[in-house]
Amino acid sequence: MKKALWFGLGFVMFAILMWYYLFHWANTELPLHLKGTAADPSMFMNERQQELSHEFSRMKDFIYFISVPLNWLIYLLVLGFGLSKKFREASSGVTRFSIIHTALYVLLLSIVSYILTFPLDYYSYTVSKEYNVSVQSFSGWMKDGLISFWVDYLFTVLTVLVIFFFIRKSKRRWWFYAWLVSIPFTIFLYFIQPVVIDPLYNDFYPLKDKVLKERILALADRADIPASNVYEVNMSEKTNSLNAYVNGIGSNLRIVLWDTTLKQLSENQVLFVMAHEMGHYVMHHLYWNLLIAFIESFIGLFLGNKLYQWAVNRFGDRWGIKGVEDIAGLPVLLLIFALLSFAVSPVESAISRKVEYDADKYAIEMTKDPKAAVGAFQKLTISGLSEVNPPKLVKFFLYDHPTMLDRISFLEDYQMSREPKVKEKKK
Protein backbone atom coordinates (compact mmCIF):
# COMPACT_ATOMS: atom_id res chain seq x y z
CA MET A 1 0.00 0.00 0.00
CA LYS A 2 2.86 2.37 0.83
CA LYS A 3 4.44 1.80 -2.58
CA ALA A 4 1.11 2.50 -4.27
CA LEU A 5 0.91 5.79 -2.38
CA TRP A 6 4.46 6.70 -3.41
CA PHE A 7 3.71 5.88 -7.05
CA GLY A 8 0.54 7.97 -6.84
CA LEU A 9 2.41 10.88 -5.27
CA GLY A 10 5.11 10.63 -7.94
CA PHE A 11 2.46 10.72 -10.64
CA VAL A 12 0.89 13.86 -9.15
CA MET A 13 4.28 15.59 -8.88
CA PHE A 14 5.06 14.70 -12.49
CA ALA A 15 1.69 16.13 -13.58
CA ILE A 16 2.39 19.40 -11.74
CA LEU A 17 5.85 19.70 -13.31
CA MET A 18 4.49 19.05 -16.80
CA TRP A 19 1.74 21.61 -16.26
CA TYR A 20 4.24 24.30 -15.26
CA TYR A 21 6.58 23.41 -18.10
CA LEU A 22 3.89 23.56 -20.78
CA PHE A 23 1.97 26.59 -19.50
CA HIS A 24 4.72 28.71 -17.91
CA TRP A 25 8.29 27.63 -18.70
CA ALA A 26 8.33 26.51 -22.33
CA ASN A 27 9.55 29.09 -24.82
CA THR A 28 7.54 29.15 -28.06
CA GLU A 29 8.44 32.63 -29.26
CA LEU A 30 8.80 32.95 -33.00
CA PRO A 31 12.41 33.60 -34.15
CA LEU A 32 12.86 37.28 -35.00
CA HIS A 33 13.83 36.61 -38.63
CA LEU A 34 10.52 34.78 -39.21
CA LYS A 35 8.23 37.48 -37.83
CA GLY A 36 6.08 38.95 -40.56
CA THR A 37 6.61 35.95 -42.83
CA ALA A 38 3.97 33.43 -43.94
CA ALA A 39 5.01 31.25 -40.98
CA ASP A 40 4.06 33.97 -38.49
CA PRO A 41 0.64 33.07 -37.00
CA SER A 42 -0.26 36.76 -36.77
CA MET A 43 -0.19 36.90 -40.57
CA PHE A 44 -2.96 34.32 -41.04
CA MET A 45 -4.68 33.98 -37.64
CA ASN A 46 -6.52 36.61 -35.65
CA GLU A 47 -5.69 37.21 -31.98
CA ARG A 48 -8.48 34.98 -30.72
CA GLN A 49 -7.40 32.10 -32.96
CA GLN A 50 -3.83 32.45 -31.71
CA GLU A 51 -5.01 32.33 -28.10
CA LEU A 52 -7.17 29.27 -28.75
CA SER A 53 -4.32 27.55 -30.60
CA HIS A 54 -1.96 28.13 -27.68
CA GLU A 55 -4.47 26.94 -25.07
CA PHE A 56 -5.70 23.92 -26.99
CA SER A 57 -2.22 22.72 -27.96
CA ARG A 58 -1.04 23.00 -24.37
CA MET A 59 -4.04 21.08 -23.06
CA LYS A 60 -3.64 18.26 -25.59
CA ASP A 61 0.10 18.04 -24.94
CA PHE A 62 -0.53 17.92 -21.19
CA ILE A 63 -3.10 15.14 -21.61
CA TYR A 64 -0.60 13.11 -23.64
CA PHE A 65 2.21 13.45 -21.10
CA ILE A 66 -0.19 12.43 -18.33
CA SER A 67 -1.69 9.49 -20.22
CA VAL A 68 1.65 7.77 -20.83
CA PRO A 69 2.73 7.27 -17.18
CA LEU A 70 -0.91 6.62 -16.24
CA ASN A 71 -0.86 3.46 -18.36
CA TRP A 72 2.38 2.38 -16.70
CA LEU A 73 0.85 3.05 -13.29
CA ILE A 74 -2.21 0.93 -14.12
CA TYR A 75 -0.05 -2.10 -14.91
CA LEU A 76 1.90 -1.61 -11.67
CA LEU A 77 -1.30 -1.32 -9.63
CA VAL A 78 -2.77 -4.45 -11.25
CA LEU A 79 0.38 -6.31 -10.23
CA GLY A 80 0.90 -4.67 -6.85
CA PHE A 81 -2.66 -5.24 -5.62
CA GLY A 82 -2.66 -8.85 -6.79
CA LEU A 83 -5.34 -8.27 -9.43
CA SER A 84 -3.36 -10.11 -12.09
CA LYS A 85 -3.26 -13.23 -9.94
CA LYS A 86 -7.00 -12.93 -9.26
CA PHE A 87 -7.77 -12.50 -12.96
CA ARG A 88 -5.82 -15.67 -13.72
CA GLU A 89 -7.66 -17.62 -11.06
CA ALA A 90 -11.06 -16.30 -12.16
CA SER A 91 -10.50 -17.08 -15.84
CA SER A 92 -9.02 -20.53 -15.21
CA GLY A 93 -12.01 -21.50 -13.07
CA VAL A 94 -14.48 -21.06 -15.94
CA THR A 95 -13.29 -23.78 -18.33
CA ARG A 96 -10.40 -26.14 -18.95
CA PHE A 97 -9.54 -24.67 -22.37
CA SER A 98 -6.40 -22.50 -22.20
CA ILE A 99 -7.46 -20.34 -25.17
CA ILE A 100 -10.59 -19.28 -23.31
CA HIS A 101 -8.53 -18.73 -20.13
CA THR A 102 -6.34 -16.28 -22.07
CA ALA A 103 -9.28 -14.53 -23.72
CA LEU A 104 -11.05 -14.06 -20.39
CA TYR A 105 -7.89 -12.85 -18.64
CA VAL A 106 -7.21 -10.28 -21.40
CA LEU A 107 -10.84 -9.16 -21.23
CA LEU A 108 -10.65 -8.53 -17.46
CA LEU A 109 -7.36 -6.66 -17.82
CA SER A 110 -8.72 -4.62 -20.75
CA ILE A 111 -11.87 -3.66 -18.84
CA VAL A 112 -9.86 -2.45 -15.83
CA SER A 113 -7.56 -0.43 -18.10
CA TYR A 114 -10.54 1.02 -19.99
CA ILE A 115 -12.30 2.09 -16.79
CA LEU A 116 -9.20 3.69 -15.26
CA THR A 117 -8.26 5.60 -18.42
CA PHE A 118 -11.82 6.61 -19.29
CA PRO A 119 -11.85 9.86 -17.21
CA LEU A 120 -8.75 11.18 -19.00
CA ASP A 121 -10.05 10.05 -22.40
CA TYR A 122 -13.35 11.75 -21.72
CA TYR A 123 -11.56 14.92 -20.60
CA SER A 124 -9.58 14.90 -23.85
CA TYR A 125 -12.85 14.58 -25.78
CA THR A 126 -14.46 17.48 -23.88
CA VAL A 127 -11.41 19.69 -24.50
CA SER A 128 -11.64 19.06 -28.25
CA LYS A 129 -15.35 19.81 -28.13
CA GLU A 130 -14.85 22.97 -26.09
CA TYR A 131 -12.38 24.33 -28.64
CA ASN A 132 -14.60 23.25 -31.56
CA VAL A 133 -11.98 20.94 -33.05
CA SER A 134 -14.27 17.99 -32.40
CA VAL A 135 -17.96 18.20 -33.33
CA GLN A 136 -18.73 14.58 -32.55
CA SER A 137 -21.65 13.74 -30.28
CA PHE A 138 -21.02 11.91 -27.03
CA SER A 139 -22.85 8.83 -28.35
CA GLY A 140 -20.72 8.85 -31.50
CA TRP A 141 -17.56 9.22 -29.45
CA MET A 142 -18.59 6.34 -27.19
CA LYS A 143 -19.40 4.19 -30.22
CA ASP A 144 -15.93 4.77 -31.70
CA GLY A 145 -14.38 4.09 -28.30
CA LEU A 146 -16.18 0.78 -27.93
CA ILE A 147 -15.26 -0.25 -31.49
CA SER A 148 -11.61 0.53 -30.68
CA PHE A 149 -11.91 -1.42 -27.43
CA TRP A 150 -13.10 -4.59 -29.18
CA VAL A 151 -10.74 -4.26 -32.15
CA ASP A 152 -7.80 -3.77 -29.77
CA TYR A 153 -9.06 -6.63 -27.62
CA LEU A 154 -9.22 -9.00 -30.60
CA PHE A 155 -5.69 -8.21 -31.74
CA THR A 156 -4.37 -8.31 -28.17
CA VAL A 157 -5.86 -11.77 -27.59
CA LEU A 158 -4.33 -13.07 -30.83
CA THR A 159 -0.95 -11.56 -29.96
CA VAL A 160 -0.99 -12.87 -26.39
CA LEU A 161 -2.00 -16.37 -27.52
CA VAL A 162 0.93 -16.48 -29.93
CA ILE A 163 3.46 -15.06 -27.45
CA PHE A 164 2.54 -17.35 -24.56
CA PHE A 165 2.31 -20.37 -26.88
CA PHE A 166 5.94 -19.80 -27.84
CA ILE A 167 6.96 -19.01 -24.24
CA ARG A 168 5.64 -22.41 -23.16
CA LYS A 169 7.48 -24.07 -26.06
CA SER A 170 10.77 -22.25 -25.57
CA LYS A 171 11.39 -19.84 -22.69
CA ARG A 172 14.66 -18.67 -24.21
CA ARG A 173 13.79 -18.27 -27.91
CA TRP A 174 10.08 -17.43 -27.79
CA TRP A 175 10.77 -13.81 -28.69
CA PHE A 176 12.39 -14.83 -32.01
CA TYR A 177 9.55 -17.16 -33.02
CA ALA A 178 7.00 -14.48 -32.10
CA TRP A 179 8.93 -11.99 -34.23
CA LEU A 180 8.85 -14.33 -37.23
CA VAL A 181 5.07 -14.70 -36.91
CA SER A 182 4.65 -10.92 -36.54
CA ILE A 183 6.06 -10.27 -40.04
CA PRO A 184 3.21 -11.78 -42.12
CA PHE A 185 0.69 -10.62 -39.50
CA THR A 186 1.84 -6.97 -39.81
CA ILE A 187 1.75 -7.13 -43.61
CA PHE A 188 -1.77 -8.58 -43.39
CA LEU A 189 -2.86 -5.67 -41.17
CA TYR A 190 -1.49 -3.16 -43.68
CA PHE A 191 -3.45 -4.97 -46.39
CA ILE A 192 -6.81 -5.10 -44.61
CA GLN A 193 -6.66 -1.70 -42.87
CA PRO A 194 -8.38 0.32 -45.65
CA VAL A 195 -11.14 -2.17 -46.44
CA VAL A 196 -11.88 -3.87 -43.10
CA ILE A 197 -10.79 -1.73 -40.15
CA ASP A 198 -11.23 1.87 -41.36
CA PRO A 199 -14.87 1.37 -42.50
CA LEU A 200 -15.77 0.35 -38.92
CA TYR A 201 -15.40 3.99 -37.93
CA ASN A 202 -16.48 5.96 -41.00
CA ASP A 203 -18.31 5.75 -44.32
CA PHE A 204 -16.09 5.76 -47.40
CA TYR A 205 -17.43 6.56 -50.85
CA PRO A 206 -16.04 7.66 -54.24
CA LEU A 207 -15.16 11.35 -54.46
CA LYS A 208 -18.25 13.27 -55.55
CA ASP A 209 -16.40 16.11 -57.27
CA LYS A 210 -15.73 14.51 -60.68
CA VAL A 211 -13.47 17.30 -61.93
CA LEU A 212 -11.26 17.19 -58.84
CA LYS A 213 -11.26 13.40 -58.99
CA GLU A 214 -9.88 13.49 -62.55
CA ARG A 215 -7.20 16.00 -61.56
CA ILE A 216 -6.13 13.84 -58.61
CA LEU A 217 -6.05 10.69 -60.75
CA ALA A 218 -4.03 12.58 -63.38
CA LEU A 219 -1.60 13.53 -60.60
CA ALA A 220 -1.47 9.88 -59.51
CA ASP A 221 -0.82 8.81 -63.10
CA ARG A 222 2.12 11.23 -63.32
CA ALA A 223 3.43 9.65 -60.12
CA ASP A 224 2.94 6.12 -61.53
CA ILE A 225 0.48 5.25 -58.78
CA PRO A 226 -1.94 2.48 -59.90
CA ALA A 227 -5.09 4.17 -58.56
CA SER A 228 -8.44 3.98 -60.32
CA ASN A 229 -10.52 5.79 -57.71
CA VAL A 230 -10.36 8.49 -55.05
CA TYR A 231 -12.33 8.10 -51.83
CA GLU A 232 -14.04 10.64 -49.63
CA VAL A 233 -14.74 10.02 -45.94
CA ASN A 234 -17.41 11.79 -43.87
CA MET A 235 -15.17 13.15 -41.12
CA SER A 236 -17.19 16.39 -40.83
CA GLU A 237 -19.52 14.46 -38.50
CA LYS A 238 -16.65 14.22 -36.02
CA THR A 239 -14.14 17.00 -36.52
CA ASN A 240 -13.26 20.33 -38.11
CA SER A 241 -9.67 19.20 -38.68
CA LEU A 242 -8.32 18.45 -42.15
CA ASN A 243 -6.52 15.38 -43.46
CA ALA A 244 -5.85 13.18 -46.48
CA TYR A 245 -3.83 10.01 -46.95
CA VAL A 246 -2.79 7.16 -49.19
CA ASN A 247 -2.81 3.83 -47.35
CA GLY A 248 -2.98 0.12 -47.94
CA ILE A 249 -0.76 -2.06 -50.07
CA GLY A 250 -1.28 -4.06 -53.25
CA SER A 251 -4.83 -4.17 -54.57
CA ASN A 252 -6.14 -2.48 -51.40
CA LEU A 253 -4.31 0.80 -52.05
CA ARG A 254 -6.60 3.77 -51.37
CA ILE A 255 -6.38 7.51 -51.92
CA VAL A 256 -8.59 9.12 -49.26
CA LEU A 257 -9.68 12.70 -48.57
CA TRP A 258 -11.56 13.90 -45.53
CA ASP A 259 -14.67 15.84 -46.57
CA THR A 260 -13.51 18.66 -44.26
CA THR A 261 -10.42 19.01 -46.45
CA LEU A 262 -12.58 19.28 -49.56
CA LYS A 263 -14.77 21.94 -47.96
CA GLN A 264 -12.03 24.16 -46.54
CA LEU A 265 -9.19 23.95 -49.08
CA SER A 266 -9.11 25.27 -52.61
CA GLU A 267 -8.66 22.81 -55.47
CA ASN A 268 -4.97 23.66 -55.88
CA GLN A 269 -4.41 23.32 -52.12
CA VAL A 270 -6.06 19.89 -52.20
CA LEU A 271 -3.79 18.88 -55.08
CA PHE A 272 -0.71 19.86 -53.07
CA VAL A 273 -1.92 17.83 -50.09
CA MET A 274 -2.58 14.83 -52.33
CA ALA A 275 0.82 15.21 -54.02
CA HIS A 276 2.36 15.08 -50.53
CA GLU A 277 0.52 11.83 -49.76
CA MET A 278 1.49 10.40 -53.14
CA GLY A 279 5.09 11.27 -52.35
CA HIS A 280 4.94 8.73 -49.52
CA TYR A 281 3.88 6.06 -52.00
CA VAL A 282 6.41 7.02 -54.70
CA MET A 283 9.30 7.04 -52.22
CA HIS A 284 8.12 3.71 -50.79
CA HIS A 285 7.63 5.12 -47.31
CA LEU A 286 4.94 2.53 -46.54
CA TYR A 287 7.42 -0.25 -47.18
CA TRP A 288 10.16 1.55 -45.25
CA ASN A 289 7.71 1.87 -42.36
CA LEU A 290 7.16 -1.87 -42.52
CA LEU A 291 10.89 -2.55 -42.52
CA ILE A 292 11.47 -0.22 -39.58
CA ALA A 293 8.56 -1.86 -37.74
CA PHE A 294 10.16 -5.28 -38.25
CA ILE A 295 13.54 -4.04 -36.99
CA GLU A 296 11.95 -2.34 -33.98
CA SER A 297 9.87 -5.39 -33.11
CA PHE A 298 12.98 -7.61 -33.35
CA ILE A 299 14.94 -5.40 -30.94
CA GLY A 300 11.89 -4.79 -28.74
CA LEU A 301 11.07 -8.49 -28.39
CA PHE A 302 14.72 -9.34 -27.72
CA LEU A 303 15.06 -6.70 -24.98
CA GLY A 304 11.54 -7.41 -23.76
CA ASN A 305 12.43 -11.05 -23.22
CA LYS A 306 15.52 -10.16 -21.17
CA LEU A 307 13.64 -7.65 -19.03
CA TYR A 308 10.64 -9.94 -18.62
CA GLN A 309 12.81 -12.83 -17.41
CA TRP A 310 14.53 -10.52 -14.93
CA ALA A 311 11.30 -8.93 -13.64
CA VAL A 312 9.51 -12.26 -13.09
CA ASN A 313 12.56 -13.75 -11.34
CA ARG A 314 12.91 -10.65 -9.18
CA PHE A 315 9.27 -9.82 -8.36
CA GLY A 316 7.27 -12.85 -9.51
CA ASP A 317 6.62 -14.26 -6.04
CA ARG A 318 5.48 -10.89 -4.74
CA TRP A 319 3.05 -10.48 -7.68
CA GLY A 320 1.78 -14.06 -7.60
CA ILE A 321 3.34 -14.97 -10.95
CA LYS A 322 4.37 -18.64 -11.15
CA GLY A 323 6.82 -18.19 -14.02
CA VAL A 324 7.33 -16.48 -17.36
CA GLU A 325 4.76 -18.82 -18.94
CA ASP A 326 2.06 -17.70 -16.46
CA ILE A 327 -0.59 -15.47 -18.05
CA ALA A 328 -0.56 -13.41 -14.83
CA GLY A 329 2.78 -12.04 -16.06
CA LEU A 330 1.10 -10.28 -19.01
CA PRO A 331 0.95 -6.86 -17.27
CA VAL A 332 4.72 -7.11 -16.75
CA LEU A 333 5.25 -7.77 -20.44
CA LEU A 334 2.88 -4.97 -21.47
CA LEU A 335 4.59 -2.55 -19.09
CA ILE A 336 8.01 -3.43 -20.52
CA PHE A 337 6.82 -2.99 -24.11
CA ALA A 338 5.16 0.33 -23.19
CA LEU A 339 8.39 1.60 -21.63
CA LEU A 340 10.46 0.49 -24.62
CA SER A 341 7.98 2.08 -27.01
CA PHE A 342 8.16 5.38 -25.15
CA ALA A 343 11.96 5.24 -25.07
CA VAL A 344 12.19 4.81 -28.84
CA SER A 345 9.45 7.34 -29.68
CA PRO A 346 11.85 10.31 -30.13
CA VAL A 347 13.83 8.31 -32.70
CA GLU A 348 10.63 7.29 -34.50
CA SER A 349 9.44 10.91 -34.50
CA ALA A 350 12.75 12.17 -35.90
CA ILE A 351 12.68 9.60 -38.72
CA SER A 352 9.04 10.41 -39.45
CA ARG A 353 9.77 14.16 -39.61
CA LYS A 354 12.46 13.49 -42.20
CA VAL A 355 10.04 11.33 -44.21
CA GLU A 356 7.34 14.03 -44.07
CA TYR A 357 9.83 16.68 -45.14
CA ASP A 358 10.77 14.55 -48.15
CA ALA A 359 7.07 14.20 -49.02
CA ASP A 360 6.65 17.98 -48.79
CA LYS A 361 9.62 18.44 -51.10
CA TYR A 362 8.19 15.91 -53.55
CA ALA A 363 4.78 17.63 -53.51
CA ILE A 364 6.11 21.12 -54.20
CA GLU A 365 8.36 19.84 -56.99
CA MET A 366 5.35 18.10 -58.52
CA THR A 367 2.80 20.91 -58.19
CA LYS A 368 5.18 23.89 -58.33
CA ASP A 369 2.58 25.97 -56.51
CA PRO A 370 4.15 27.26 -53.25
CA LYS A 371 1.32 29.74 -52.73
CA ALA A 372 -1.26 26.93 -52.60
CA ALA A 373 1.05 24.84 -50.41
CA VAL A 374 1.56 27.63 -47.86
CA GLY A 375 -2.18 28.34 -47.87
CA ALA A 376 -2.93 24.66 -47.24
CA PHE A 377 -0.62 24.53 -44.22
CA GLN A 378 -2.03 27.76 -42.82
CA LYS A 379 -5.57 26.40 -43.06
CA LEU A 380 -4.46 23.10 -41.52
CA THR A 381 -3.06 25.11 -38.60
CA ILE A 382 -6.28 27.06 -38.10
CA SER A 383 -8.66 24.10 -38.43
CA GLY A 384 -6.76 21.92 -35.97
CA LEU A 385 -5.66 24.80 -33.71
CA SER A 386 -2.10 23.54 -34.11
CA GLU A 387 0.81 25.41 -32.60
CA VAL A 388 3.21 26.80 -35.18
CA ASN A 389 6.26 26.61 -32.91
CA PRO A 390 5.68 24.01 -30.15
CA PRO A 391 7.87 23.53 -27.05
CA LYS A 392 11.06 21.56 -27.65
CA LEU A 393 10.03 18.68 -25.39
CA VAL A 394 6.71 18.35 -27.22
CA LYS A 395 8.42 18.34 -30.60
CA PHE A 396 10.99 15.81 -29.34
CA PHE A 397 8.40 13.26 -28.23
CA LEU A 398 5.22 14.02 -30.15
CA TYR A 399 5.91 15.58 -33.52
CA ASP A 400 6.07 12.94 -36.24
CA HIS A 401 5.63 15.78 -38.79
CA PRO A 402 7.79 18.88 -39.10
CA THR A 403 6.32 21.83 -37.22
CA MET A 404 4.24 24.25 -39.25
CA LEU A 405 7.04 26.76 -38.69
CA ASP A 406 9.50 24.43 -40.43
CA ARG A 407 7.09 23.43 -43.21
CA ILE A 408 5.97 26.92 -44.15
CA SER A 409 9.52 28.31 -43.87
CA PHE A 410 10.73 25.60 -46.25
CA LEU A 411 8.04 26.52 -48.78
CA GLU A 412 8.87 30.23 -48.56
CA ASP A 413 12.55 29.44 -49.15
CA TYR A 414 11.53 27.30 -52.12
CA GLN A 415 9.46 30.14 -53.54
CA MET A 416 12.30 32.64 -53.11
CA SER A 417 14.76 30.26 -54.77
CA ARG A 418 12.55 30.18 -57.86
CA GLU A 419 11.95 33.91 -58.18
CA PRO A 420 15.29 34.78 -59.88
CA LYS A 421 14.62 32.12 -62.53
CA VAL A 422 11.23 33.68 -63.24
CA LYS A 423 12.80 37.14 -63.61
CA GLU A 424 15.46 35.80 -65.95
CA LYS A 425 12.77 34.27 -68.16
CA LYS A 426 10.93 37.63 -68.34
CA LYS A 427 14.10 39.37 -69.46
Side-chain angles (χ1 to χ4, degrees):
M1 191 64 183
K2 285 185 179 179
K3 288 188 177 180
L5 289 173
W6 279 111
F7 279 127
L9 181 61
F11 178 76
V12 171
M13 291 300 297
F14 172 78
I16 293 171
L17 285 172
M18 286 308 306
W19 178 273
Y20 271 92
Y21 169 75
L22 291 170
F23 287 89
H24 301 287
W25 298 336
N27 179 22
T28 58
E29 283 290 319
L30 203 70
L32 285 174
H33 70 282
L34 292 176
K35 290 189 175 181
T37 67
D40 186 343
S42 64
M43 302 302 291
F44 61 91
M45 301 173 79
N46 58 44
E47 287 188 13
R48 182 55 180 159
Q49 287 173 328
Q50 292 178 64
E51 289 174 7
L52 292 174
S53 170
H54 176 80
E55 293 171 6
F56 178 72
S57 296
R58 289 294 189 274
M59 292 302 299
K60 297 299 284 187
D61 294 339
F62 176 72
I63 290 169
Y64 166 78
F65 282 110
I66 293 304
S67 66
V68 171
L70 176 61
N71 285 317
W72 304 344
L73 187 61
I74 288 171
Y75 293 135
L76 287 171
L77 291 176
V78 167
L79 291 164
F81 283 102
L83 291 179
S84 188
K85 176 184 175 181
K86 292 176 182 177
F87 291 163
R88 179 196 63 212
E89 292 170 350
S91 59
S92 62
V94 174
T95 176
R96 61 187 179 85
F97 295 106
S98 62
I99 292 178
I100 298 178
H101 295 171
T102 300
L104 288 173
Y105 177 92
V106 174
L107 180 61
L108 291 171
L109 182 62
S110 299
I111 290 172
V112 168
S113 181
Y114 177 82
I115 292 172
L116 293 177
T117 56
F118 182 83
L120 190 60
D121 291 338
Y122 177 70
Y123 179 62
S124 179
Y125 162 72
T126 58
V127 167
S128 294
K129 283 277 285 187
E130 182 183 348
Y131 285 87
N132 203 37
V133 173
S134 171
V135 295
Q136 189 175 24
S137 65
F138 175 74
S139 60
W141 177 76
M142 281 296 297
K143 178 185 174 184
D144 282 353
L146 290 173
I147 290 172
S148 293
F149 175 88
W150 289 110
V151 169
D152 291 344
Y153 169 71
L154 175 62
F155 287 126
T156 301
V157 168
L158 291 174
T159 303
V160 171
L161 284 170
V162 170
I163 286 177
F164 278 86
F165 170 79
F166 286 125
I167 288 177
R168 292 180 187 115
K169 293 293 182 182
S170 176
K171 294 179 182 178
R172 297 182 64 184
R173 295 188 178 88
W174 68 266
W175 65 273
F176 181 70
Y177 302 135
W179 176 74
L180 289 177
V181 172
S182 74
I183 295 174
F185 182 69
T186 303
I187 295 172
F188 176 69
L189 285 181
Y190 266 71
F191 186 76
I192 68 167
Q193 177 82 31
V195 295
V196 176
I197 299 175
D198 290 347
L200 294 174
Y201 299 91
N202 296 99
D203 296 326
F204 291 78
Y205 39 85
L207 182 62
K208 297 173 184 176
D209 188 331
K210 303 298 182 185
V211 175
L212 180 58
K213 176 182 174 181
E214 290 305 315
R215 291 192 69 183
I216 293 172
L217 289 176
L219 205 63
D221 185 60
R222 283 174 52 198
D224 293 324
I225 295 177
S228 58
N229 211 340
V230 180
Y231 291 89
E232 186 177 341
V233 56
N234 62 330
M235 288 300 294
S236 57
E237 296 178 357
K238 301 179 179 181
T239 181
N240 285 319
S241 295
L242 315 180
N243 200 9
Y245 57 87
V246 176
N247 74 337
I249 55 177
S251 60
N252 281 355
L253 175 76
R254 276 193 171 183
I255 298 174
V256 180
L257 281 159
W258 287 11
D259 60 346
T260 51
T261 304
L262 294 166
K263 292 173 184 175
Q264 297 185 48
L265 298 189
S266 70
E267 196 167 286
N268 285 341
Q269 289 170 347
V270 170
L271 289 174
F272 170 78
V273 171
M274 293 313 301
H276 168 94
E277 299 304 330
M278 291 175 189
H280 288 308
Y281 179 89
V282 171
M283 290 181 279
H284 308 295
H285 291 162
L286 288 174
Y287 297 102
W288 280 108
N289 284 346
L290 272 172
L291 180 60
I292 291 171
F294 297 150
I295 294 172
E296 283 186 344
S297 61
F298 180 90
I299 297 172
L301 284 166
F302 172 76
L303 293 176
N305 170 54
K306 298 291 185 183
L307 292 170
Y308 182 52
Q309 298 270 2
W310 171 82
V312 171
N313 289 335
R314 178 73 174 79
F315 303 104
D317 290 339
R318 187 181 305 174
W319 292 333
I321 302 172
K322 298 175 181 177
V324 292
E325 74 281 1
D326 186 357
I327 190 64
L330 178 60
V332 182
L333 205 52
L334 292 175
L335 173 61
I336 289 168
F337 287 148
L339 290 168
L340 291 174
S341 178
F342 180 75
V344 79
S345 61
V347 177
E348 290 178 331
S349 294
I351 293 172
S352 181
R353 287 195 296 270
K354 173 62 169 63
V355 165
E356 295 296 334
Y357 169 79
D358 290 342
D360 282 349
K361 189 174 181 181
Y362 175 89
I364 196 61
E365 289 291 347
M366 193 174 197
T367 60
K368 292 185 169 50
D369 191 349
K371 183 178 179 182
V374 169
F377 283 142
Q378 289 175 339
K379 288 181 181 179
L380 281 164
T381 303
I382 295 169
S383 66
L385 291 181
S386 304
E387 196 161 26
V388 171
N389 189 31
K392 290 182 180 179
L393 191 64
V394 174
K395 179 180 176 180
F396 184 70
F397 281 103
L398 285 181
Y399 270 62
D400 54 7
H401 285 60
T403 65
M404 285 301 178
L405 183 71
D406 294 333
R407 301 181 92 169
I408 296 175
S409 298
F410 160 69
L411 290 170
E412 282 219 302
D413 291 343
Y414 175 88
Q415 189 171 18
M416 290 176 63
S417 70
R418 287 180 57 81
E419 283 178 357
K421 295 181 182 179
V422 174
K423 291 177 181 177
E424 287 174 11
K425 285 183 180 179
K426 286 183 178 179
K427 287 180 181 179

